[in-house]
Amino acid sequence: MRTKNTTERWGWLSRFLHWSIAALILFQLALGLYMTDFVSDMTEQFDLFQLHKSWGFVVFCLAVIRVSWRLFNRQTPHLPAGTAGWQRVASHLSHGLLYLLILVMPLSGWVMSAASPTQDYLNIQNMVFGLFAMPDPWVPGVRSLSDAAGEVHEISAWIMLAILAIHVAAALKHHLIDKDDVLRRMTWGR
């Protein structure tokens, strides 16, 4: 299997990054919802927040690699002939929004945490899997910045869920109704 994309197929690196980020985003969305809405024990919640921050860092790193790879490897598989113009536009817009969101969500989460005055008051660091601390440029914290970043983070999560649902529905439509190879080009088949 080729590393680089062609006009017919996605290369193995694009596929790996696509599915890795997809799995991590779904995990992060579920974890974010669980830790904020269903966990009341502060110690357990703290551990889950640290885990969420750690995987958010990984998502951001993979997103930077993915966007860089996409800019370096400009060739992509073409949509099937006969695809309606509005579907082409919707595909480009939704993919662009997904790329934006996989960068905005981890960044807004980091800003929200780093700017939190509570974090500074309690002397909490944003640790990545307990290995190293992420930078904290807002010491002492700035509540208004933390709150604004929190709003961006939460709104982005809901937009991400909506776009992902549309993305999955479109892929399944191509596979089950149109019976073309759009989905197979991003999986390990064909």
Side-chain angles (χ1 to χ4, degrees):
M1 183 182 303
R2 297 177 142 219
T3 303
K4 292 182 105 179
N5 303 334
T6 68
T7 57
E8 303 297 320
R9 313 195 45 69
W10 293 98
W12 71 263
L13 184 56
S14 292
R15 292 177 194 204
F16 171 77
L17 291 168
H18 174 274
W19 292 107
S20 298
I21 292 171
L24 287 172
I25 289 290
L26 290 173
F27 170 74
Q28 285 288 83
L29 289 169
L31 179 59
L33 182 65
Y34 174 71
M35 70 188 192
T36 57
D37 291 355
F38 297 103
V39 177
S40 57
D41 179 69
M42 293 296 283
T43 304
E44 182 183 356
Q45 197 174 49
F46 175 79
D47 291 341
L48 292 173
F49 269 89
Q50 290 296 75
L51 181 65
H52 189 73
K53 293 173 190 179
S54 296
W55 283 113
F57 177 82
V58 173
V59 168
F60 181 75
C61 291
L62 289 174
V64 168
I65 293 168
R66 181 161 185 196
V67 170
S68 299
W69 178 246
R70 180 74 174 82
L71 292 172
F72 172 75
N73 186 26
R74 307 272 313 159
Q75 194 168 45
T76 61
H78 298 301
L79 286 171
T83 301
W86 72 268
Q87 288 178 336
R88 291 179 185 279
V89 170
S91 173
H92 290 298
L93 287 175
S94 65
H95 281 96
L97 191 52
L98 285 171
Y99 277 105
L100 178 65
L101 288 171
I102 63 173
L103 292 168
V104 166
M105 288 187 68
L107 284 174
S108 62
W110 169 68
V111 171
M112 175 178 54
S113 295
S116 170
T118 304
Q119 175 176 288
D120 293 332
Y121 178 74
L122 297 175
N123 196 29
I124 298 169
Q125 292 184 311
N126 291 313
M127 297 298 293
V128 177
F129 298 112
L131 300 173
F132 60 92
M134 291 188 287
D136 187 357
W138 295 283
V139 178
V142 181
R143 171 65 59 201
S144 60
L145 181 59
S146 179
D147 290 346
E151 286 294 314
V152 169
H153 196 68
E154 184 175 351
I155 291 167
S156 295
W158 290 111
I159 294 170
M160 175 70 84
L161 275 171
I163 297 296
L164 285 175
I166 293 167
H167 187 70
V168 169
L172 291 173
K173 176 205 172 277
H174 277 284
H175 188 70
L176 300 172
I177 296 170
D178 299 341
K179 301 203 184 297
D180 58 35
D181 68 344
V182 168
L183 180 59
R184 283 191 306 272
R185 295 184 307 196
M186 187 49 88
T187 63
W188 301 111
R190 185 182 161 263

